[in-house]
Amino acid sequence: MEKPNSWIAHVEAFVDSARATNQQAASVDAIAVLVHKDLLTLEGLVIEMEQYLTTSDHVIRARGILLLAEVLSHLLEKPLDSRTVSSLVEFFTSKLEDWQALHGALIGCLALLKRTKKFGMVESNDAKSLAESFLRNVQVQSLAVRDRKLCFEVIQRLLDVYPQAVVELGDDLVYGICEAIDEEKDPRCLMLTFSLVGTLGRLFPDPSGPLGNFSSDVFDILSRYFPIYFTHPKGDGLDITRDDLSKALMDAFSSSPLFEPFVIPLLLEKLSSSLPSAKLDSLKYLNSCVPHYGADKVVKHSQVIWSNLKDVIFNLSPHRSSLSTYGSDGDMDSEVNQIANEALNCLQTAISHLNFPDQDSFLCLIIDDEDIGTRFWSVTSMKNYSGASTEIQCQLSALGSILSIASKVSVYCCTNVFQKFFSCLMDILGVSGKHASKLCVTDHNTCSDGLNFGALYLSMELLTSCRELTLSSKEFAPEVISEPRSWFYVLKNISRELCDALGSILETPESAEHVYCAVKGLQVLATFPEIYSPVSEATYEDILVMLMSIITRRNKETYLWELSLKALVQIGLWIENAHDSAKAISYNKLVIQRIVSMLQPNDSTISLSLKLVAISEISSIDLYLLTIVQAFEEAIVSNLRACFEGNLKSSGVLVPLLQCYSNQVLPRCHTCGNFNDIAVQVAVSIWNQIEYVAVFRSAILMKDVLDQVMMTMKHLVAGCTEENQFLILQKACSSLPKTFLIAESLPCALSQLEGFQCIQDTTLMSCRDEWVFSLFGSVVIALRPQTPLVNVKILLNLFVVLLLKGNMPAAQALASMVNKWPADVNKSEVSYSLDQAIEEILKSCLWTSESSSNFIDRDSCFQKYVVLGLAWIGKGLLMRGHEKLKEIAMLLLKCLVAGKNVDITPFQQHENGSKDVGQDASSPLATFAADAFHVLLSDSEDCLNKKFHATIRPLYKQRFFSSMLPILLSSIKESDPSSKKVVLYRAFGHVISDTPLAAVVGEAKKIVPTLADALAMLSLDILNKDMIYSLLLVVSGILMDDNGKAIVLENVHTIISLLIKLISYPHLMIVRETAIQCLVAISVLPYARIYPYRPQVFRAVSTALDDRKRVVRQEAVRCRQAWASIA
Amino acid sequence: MASGLINANPVVYERKERQVRSVPTIIDEDAEELIDQQEIFDYIRDIQDPEHPYTLEELKVVTEDSIEVNDKKSHVSVTFTPTVEHCSLATTIGLCLRVKLMRSLPSRYKVDIRVAPGTHATEAAVNKQLNDKERVAAALENPNLMYMIDRCLEPTYYY
């Protein structure tokens, strides 16, 4: 047991109201910890604190009681025996009388009431006396917010945990609560009071009980809050929204049927309010109250409810300018739409709950309503949607919604609606079933001139809700199917004629709306569940044939065509979901086979692009994906063969075909699961075609076809697993010309290479070889890193040879190999390390350039290939973060400065005309080397990306940038003749503009002067215009950065004069525009530094005011103003 | 203003939607986009009325049709309609228009600013004042006047 003097200090600290709050909280914690660890008993605490708890000084007494209460609320999980709890409850109960210490007493009561059985809780009779004392002594509404909140929590706790005990209090309790919640205004407390009332409703269900006596009072208190008017700003820290409050009040309202006599009239009254939020809330509340109150209570209001709902639905039904945009309304969330939707929800609730077999049912109110009857006739006399008035359009959509909601509720309702309306609709549409309608008013003039759109729309709505009904109710009573009066029977009898009618509408459509409804109707008819299908097998097939014939014949009518395609896809998806095997067979026969046959070369129904659209849409049905994929494969293979044989028409077909295949169909195979098999098969058959054709008939390369085939091949390979990739790779290897694969060792290969080189120098590679090697390259590009390669050395040699001949895919494949080279040589079959491989490659690439003069003298084409190859290999290394990259970078740098020393004196420059300086002065080799930096740093779609499994180290660009920057800067500084500077600047430009801006801005201090020089120098040549733009973007990026601004300020003279020069850059509008924008950004720099340049800027900008392009002029106006206003 | 507003309750019209010019996807670098009515209107529509927080467009002081422009001859003429006949601020509005166009158009342009015929009591005087180079120059030397004009033009730079 702890010595009293050790903790009594805490008590003193807490009781002393002069101490800081956190100190007091700390002392509560300390005491609670002591009690929790049994170092101090509660009894001991109370005994020691006696003087604080009972003193006549109310401030100290209040603090003392509060301390005890706070300690208790820390000890909710501390087991206490029932005697202690009981005496504590007695104490706090008695303290409820002590208004000066009430806060502490409330906290104490709440803490005790919150205890659970496991740790010892308050006894029921103690709780009852607590409640009594509370009701007698506490005047809730006279307290402050925090105490009121505590009070409500205490009551809530009592009601929740001790319902038996408090129910005995009866009238006193209800009255007390009424008093307590009356006039409450704080949102936090309101949330509690609303839930209190809800609990009361559940506790006192008896109409003659306490709540029955006070229900009008309770309602009187609550009704003042409806509809919730809540204007607190969002960030008030209360974390309560209007919706929360509204929901809580709704629960309170619907908690007890005893409120019914008051609530329903109030809701109906507020429903006619002009305030949209009141309308919306009334509908929501009504929707929640009707099921809670029960049918027998609400039924007497049904007439009023219906007439109110009808008003709302007909007056607020959202107007659609055209039905074709049906379902995709832009402002679905607008208040009017919400109200209309809520009204329909409410209608559905009412119909389903107020549903009696006799005449009183809610449904009868609707269908026997004369108003509905007249509206029905008025909308069904409407011939054309777009021609009708807005009012009629709204009425149509409202009536459609009402009927569809009504028939969706149950079979009984559906049958009733059908009897009343459907037969009439069919008559109006001129569809006369075997089942003659007796209910229909005969004097309505039936379809004589043109089709009746209103009737069409309504029948479509009814059909849709029938289908939903069959979906929602799993099983019908058997009489639904056999009973001649039921909706099913009616629909079944007339379905054949209805289909024909819809078909004939589509034959000669009158408007887009007609088309929409007719197609939709057909789709609905075809997608009923199997057993409840009102259409026969034959009719179903007719529907498919009808839609298919639209696809094949009516491609000119875009809207009809697209809708039909969508409908077919939906029907297919339905078959897939419903596992309807009988329908699947006819769908396959009539739709899939027909669509697939369109890929055959002799099919000339519709244009290729439309065919591809249709097929790729249909391929979203997984069930038939395989069939479609096979058809694609056949088409690709046969077209490819034709291409090789010189049929140019096939090449035109092949490109879109492959595009569609690799972009639309292949990704779907991934989700379908059997991608590997499909991919291997297609890839192998492409290779087979190449093997089969020994010599290409066509002499032209067909570059676009090759590119597309390569892309497809890459996609095929990239998606496969390692084993399947290996299969494709083997197939590809075996298709290579044999001479390349015999070579065993490098020296041998090299000698061969040289021979190859000699031959090929004179004769170009044949078209077929180009294809074979390019495709082989693409296979290698897309391999996964784990896929084992065979004959690595030979592959390397092969690619090097091809690279030297300018085959790009070979260079990329080499880069891919290098990029994915296994890091751990021992584990893999590859016999030598990446370092060795690079050595070999470099040696063979530059074997002629070992003496650099030799290489420099080679023809520029060869140099280009070597440098480009180096760049790609470098990229591969760079992305995996390999050391050898440095070597390649150094080689490229050497090339940059290695150009022929063409010194051009300024005089000569003048002679040549400044325009040509850039080109003439630098050797092509140096230019290639400069552009290699672009390859190194830019992202490529063709290879070395995530799709093709490249190894990508994070921040590789930034790393390269920071290591290359000092080297480039120093070589720029050292290089003397301007001719070399141009290419160095070019390389520098590539590095800067391809690196992420954030990294570049970080190095702004080093870059800015050189950047300015580079821009000045490069802007002399028109060919650099794109680079000028990207460098200018870097400048503007630096200008946006706070750090960058300071650095620009140091070089402000150079930068401003550069930008002024670029304002008149003739070749690219965006350059001029951006330069002016940069000047605007400069205008906010410190006044003293930029003021001297003001006249210069004004002169430049005023010429820009007369620019060719409007955008530039407008920027100039802005810039002029920005600089004018700094004075 | 101690003497009270000249037109205390002007009619405010709806602003026209700012027309977005269709930008061709492939920009022809050499094609010349001439200065046209709409461009001039875009420059001046947002000028604020000297006595109300409305733009000249909202008060229908200027409309797109009241602008005539001939880029080849480097000539612009703007006709504006004061909200009331006796508006003493007509010259200020005119001056605002002139200053704005001076700042926005190339120096080759000749700008004519006129009050619409029959809309102002001292039409001739105002027109003369607005198109007299010397008087315009003198007015722009006046710091108070310049302050007012700058305030009116301020919104035009932030659309």
Side-chain angles (χ1 to χ4, degrees), chain A residues 1025 1066-1070 1072 1102 1105-1111 1113-1114 1116-1118 1120-1121 1124, chain B residues 21 27-36 39 42-43 100 102-106 108 157 159:
Chain A
K1025 58 183 180 182
H1067 311 302
L1068 211 56
M1069 179 193 81
I1070 31 179
R1072 298 197 293 272
S1102 56
L1105 283 176
D1106 206 5
D1107 198 274
R1108 278 200 299 278
K1109 297 290 177 188
R1110 187 167 293 119
V1111 194
R1113 292 196 292 261
Q1114 282 165 347
V1117 171
R1118 227 163 287 168
R1120 199 193 170 283
Q1121 173 62 17
Chain B
R21 290 172 193 264
I27 298 168
D28 178 5
E29 289 295 334
D30 296 324
E32 192 163 355
E33 292 165 356
L34 294 179
I35 295 178
D36 61 8
E39 186 173 338
D42 281 342
Y43 286 139
K100 175 69 193 178
M102 254 164 51
R103 289 178 182 175
S104 311
L105 291 176
R108 63 187 162 90
Y157 297 104
Y159 55 82

Side-chain angles (χ1 to χ4, degrees), chain A residues 734-925:
Chain A
S734 68
S735 309
L736 288 179
K738 290 292 172 285
T739 41
F740 292 101
L741 294 168
I742 320 161
E744 279 292 309
S745 62
L746 193 64
C748 169
L750 265 184
S751 61
Q752 213 178 21
L753 289 184
E754 235 156 333
F756 189 66
Q757 182 76 37
C758 295
I759 303 162
Q760 299 299 327
D761 273 345
T762 48
T763 61
L764 280 165
M765 260 204 292
S766 81
C767 197
R768 182 172 183 278
D769 287 343
E770 181 83 36
W771 268 75
V772 171
F773 292 130
S774 300
L775 271 184
F776 185 68
S778 353
V779 172
V780 176
I781 285 171
L783 290 180
R784 288 173 193 271
Q786 296 87 357
T787 310
L789 286 166
V790 281
N791 297 339
V792 179
K793 278 191 186 174
I794 301 172
L795 283 187
L796 280 183
N797 291 336
L798 170 66
F799 285 135
V800 169
V801 171
L802 292 170
L803 166 118
L804 296 178
K805 300 185 50 50
N807 184 311
M808 270 294 273
Q812 291 169 350
L814 208 50
S816 269
M817 277 174 77
V818 166
N819 180 257
K820 298 165 192 170
W821 202 280
D824 190 358
V825 185
N826 299 332
K827 261 202 218 157
S828 63
E829 302 99 76
V830 183
S831 50
Y832 59 119
S833 71
L834 180 56
D835 287 355
Q836 282 169 302
I838 303 288
E839 298 274 317
E840 301 283 0
I841 294 172
L842 291 185
K843 218 160 84 191
S844 45
C845 259
L846 299 168
W847 88 97
T848 45
S849 69
E850 243 147 27
S851 58
S852 61
S853 60
N854 196 355
F855 180 66
I856 286 165
D857 290 336
R858 296 291 300 242
D859 69 305
S860 68
C861 217
F862 178 73
Q863 289 173 338
K864 181 180 172 185
Y865 298 149
V866 170
V867 171
L868 208 59
L870 275 183
W872 278 109
I873 295 166
K875 185 170 168 61
L877 291 173
L878 170 63
M879 287 174 85
R880 66 181 293 169
H882 195 270
E883 281 300 301
K884 284 274 180 186
L885 165 72
K886 261 190 199 147
E887 245 168 79
I888 291 186
M890 285 305 137
L891 273 173
L892 289 176
L893 270 182
K894 225 197 255 171
C895 293
L896 268 182
V897 289
K900 289 172 204 148
N901 288 331
V902 203
D903 269 326
I904 297 175
T905 58
F907 176 70
Q908 276 173 314
Q909 242 181 43
H910 190 72
E911 293 272 279
N912 288 348
S914 57
K915 214 176 136 195
D916 300 331
V917 167
Q919 274 318 84
D920 277 355
S922 55
S923 73
L925 172 62

Side-chain angles (χ1 to χ4, degrees), chain A residues 133-292:
Chain A
S133 162
F134 182 92
L135 293 173
R136 199 168 50 242
N137 296 311
V138 183
Q139 300 294 319
V140 178
Q141 281 309 314
S142 62
L143 302 176
V145 175
R146 71 176 179 171
D147 289 338
R148 288 208 305 275
K149 189 159 176 271
L150 285 172
C151 287
F152 294 131
E153 279 172 308
V154 168
I155 306 177
Q156 183 71 54
R157 196 73 202 162
L158 281 169
L159 293 183
D160 287 347
V161 188
Y162 306 96
Q164 298 303 324
V166 290
V167 161
E168 289 168 26
L169 295 174
D171 282 2
D172 286 345
L173 177 70
V174 180
Y175 181 76
I177 290 180
C178 283
E179 209 175 33
I181 63 175
D182 196 12
E183 303 264 301
E184 180 56 64
K185 284 193 186 68
D186 187 81
R188 288 160 294 182
C189 296
L190 278 176
M191 289 296 284
L192 291 168
T193 60
F194 292 160
S195 110
L196 267 181
V197 175
T199 321
L200 273 187
R202 278 189 295 282
L203 286 181
F204 299 102
D206 184 9
S208 58
L211 188 58
N213 301 339
F214 289 101
S215 58
S216 99
D217 296 309
V218 176
F219 173 76
D220 197 35
I221 293 166
L222 287 189
S223 64
R224 290 172 212 154
Y225 302 109
F226 182 82
I228 299 281
Y229 178 71
F230 187 64
T231 51
H232 276 244
K234 264 208 174 119
D236 59 355
L238 295 185
D239 210 21
I240 291 174
T241 62
R242 182 186 179 280
D243 285 349
D244 294 336
L245 279 170
S246 173
K247 177 85 183 35
L249 183 61
M250 180 165 86
D251 290 343
F253 269 6
S254 54
S255 64
S256 167
L258 296 175
F259 295 136
E260 170 269 328
F262 317 105
V263 170
I264 302 262
L266 173 76
L267 294 180
L268 292 176
E269 182 201 318
K270 295 285 179 190
L271 195 53
S272 49
S273 148
S274 59
L275 202 66
S277 66
K279 258 192 166 65
L280 188 59
D281 267 4
S282 312
L283 288 166
K284 277 186 183 156
Y285 282 38
L286 203 55
N287 200 7
S288 145
C289 287
V290 167
H292 279 98

Side-chain angles (χ1 to χ4, degrees), chain B residues 7-158:
Chain B
N7 181 4
N9 194 13
V11 185
V12 180
Y13 301 88
E14 206 175 334
R15 305 170 62 121
K16 227 172 57 174
E17 193 70 26
R18 196 171 280 274
Q19 280 173 23
V20 182
R21 290 172 193 264
S22 59
V23 182
T25 40
I26 301 159
I27 298 168
D28 178 5
E29 289 295 334
D30 296 324
E32 192 163 355
E33 292 165 356
L34 294 179
I35 295 178
D36 61 8
Q37 243 181 6
Q38 193 195 336
E39 186 173 338
I40 305 271
F41 186 56
D42 281 342
Y43 286 139
I44 60 175
R45 65 199 298 180
D46 291 317
I47 297 176
Q48 198 183 318
D49 185 87
E51 65 170 8
H52 294 292
Y54 297 113
T55 65
L56 296 189
E57 181 190 9
E58 283 170 311
L59 298 173
K60 283 220 175 145
V61 174
V62 286
T63 60
E64 202 169 336
D65 299 329
S66 65
I67 297 164
E68 278 171 37
V69 57
N70 187 335
D71 197 43
K72 290 276 173 287
K73 290 185 182 162
S74 303
H75 180 256
V76 175
S77 128
V78 179
T79 315
F80 70 98
T81 317
T83 49
V84 282
E85 267 197 359
H86 48 84
C87 184
S88 66
L89 288 168
T91 46
T92 316
I93 296 175
L95 206 53
C96 283
L97 288 169
R98 177 168 287 281
V99 170
K100 175 69 193 178
L101 290 180
M102 254 164 51
R103 289 178 182 175
S104 311
L105 291 176
S107 50
R108 63 187 162 90
Y109 265 86
K110 177 179 186 333
V111 180
D112 280 335
I113 311 272
R114 287 200 184 79
V115 179
T119 59
H120 200 269
T122 52
E123 196 183 312
V126 172
N127 283 344
K128 187 160 187 186
Q129 196 175 354
L130 283 175
N131 294 305
D132 183 332
K133 227 187 279 178
E134 306 289 322
R135 292 175 76 172
V136 169
L140 298 186
E141 296 284 315
N142 180 339
N144 289 330
L145 204 51
M146 235 12 238
Y147 172 75
M148 190 166 179
I149 288 171
D150 277 335
R151 218 192 49 206
C152 293
L153 295 189
E154 207 170 344
T156 59
Y157 297 104
Y158 303 107

